[in-house]
Amino acid sequence: MRGFLASSVGVTCAAALALPMALSAPAQAGPGLQAATTEPAVQGSTQSLPLVPLDGVRAFGSAAPEQGLSRRDVRSFSLVGVIWDDPGAELHGRVQVRTRATGTTDWSPWQDVETHNHEHAADPDTAERDSGRVRGSTAPLWVGDSDGVEVRVQAEVDQRAPLPGGRPLPRGLRLELVDPGAEPPSGNTPADAGRTGVLSADLDASTVETTTASAENAALAPLGATEIPALSQSETEREALALNQGEPMGKPYIGERPKIITRRGWGANESLRERGFVYTKKVKAAFVHHSASGNNYRCSQASSVIRSIYRYHVVSSGWRDVGYNFLVDKCGNIYEGRAGGVAKAVKGAHTLGFNANSMGIAVLGSFGKAKPSAAALTAIARLTAWKLGLFGANPKGKTYLTSGGGNLYRKGKNVRLNVISGHRDGFATECPGRALYGKLGSARKDAARYQGR
């Protein structure tokens, strides 16, 4: 590990911070670093292990520029990440892990864990940002069923730093090992379209009420037409809006609702998240993200990946719920993200400075170089055609959002954005990856076509 020159890792796209939670911080591991945090009587578990200085730098203690854990046996897990105490502190350096597949002697090569830091947070000067329970964190990495782990973190080399070899690393570094738990008992996998936990365009409200995890989806009409501004306006109001936007008068442009696997469908443990819901006035824009969790998953594992990300966001990072409003897998399956109702303007935690009046869609995977699947792009287009249409938004159009503060736009600035934007349009980040970002133009055109424009 020593002698290895770590460059600054690019900002990635995990979700932004959310509201205060009634959750405790990870418990401290006991002697020998063998203890772990596990919430009793819930699906899945989290092991939290403190990192220690590596050989040769132990004299620096928690300020050591190289920290990690040697190869060790642990309980079964499938997703890893590293957290630290201060969500405002940046991790300038490189995080690498290798894991052992459960029941084998096979160790993976070293894998990079993408870092993201304080810029992924709720808008400044809000209760969401100032909860006191949130922690800094890397992106989560899906590694599959494993029972052995080794990790190393090295500070970025900086000749100006007071410590030899690099800048100081954040205090309180811990390795989080997440077990997603078993699949829901009713077999709600993506292949089970039409079973419990799937919102389909041909389901009526009474059916939806019995198949969703959240009662907030119970009133969802066949096209999600309840309490939607674009559908509740009078004819005169709609005509005035159409004239103002330079569009012909007619029925609202709303794409057909796609099939959406609900939280119950992917097995969300609702006892983990904060109980209340937070809404904004409307959905004027959609921000597309990648989860930065890697591409080594099968579509049959997508629910497990999402349960792991959910647990990592809530238990490890201290957020109130999973950050994204929706998630999409490589096979084009769409999943309900943050609770509160798929047709409603639920405030997510996905794009620092622009969480209000927007929604966040995360494609499972990493797309800096890997191309997103055609099925995932189609899902983005169909989902945005429906959800943006409910609020009268044109996927090919522009809109204005007021910045809550970030590294591109000061707080209070009125910013003109594409109605379908990438995370990098609202914040200086690599997200959603160059390969996915380059496809958003096609997604805009397809979404508009699905709306009938």
Side-chain angles (χ1 to χ4, degrees), residues 92-104:
H92 294 284
R94 190 174 188 180
V95 178
Q96 292 184 302
V97 300
R98 59 178 171 179
T99 57
R100 183 185 62 205
T102 297
T104 75

Side-chain angles (χ1 to χ4, degrees), residues 251-271:
K251 67 179 182 179
Y253 293 98
I254 303 176
E256 180 182 17
R257 189 178 76 215
K259 291 181 179 179
I260 300 172
I261 298 172
T262 66
R263 292 172 64 90
R264 180 179 178 182
W266 54 261
N269 183 336
E270 302 296 350
S271 69

Side-chain angles (χ1 to χ4, degrees), residues 122-126 284 287 347 351-357 399-417 425-427:
D123 299 343
D125 303 321
T126 64
K284 298 173 63 178
F287 286 97
K347 187 174 184 179
T351 305
L352 174 62
F354 295 102
N355 289 313
N357 297 325
T399 191
Y400 283 90
L401 294 176
T402 302
S403 172
N407 65 356
L408 283 182
Y409 303 103
R410 59 174 173 78
K411 184 175 182 180
K413 182 175 177 58
N414 205 25
V415 182
R416 190 168 186 255
L417 295 162
D425 294 321
F427 200 92

Side-chain angles (χ1 to χ4, degrees), residues 23 101 122 143 165 230 255 262 310 376 390 393 447:
L23 290 176
V143 294
T262 66
Y310 170 48
L390 297 179

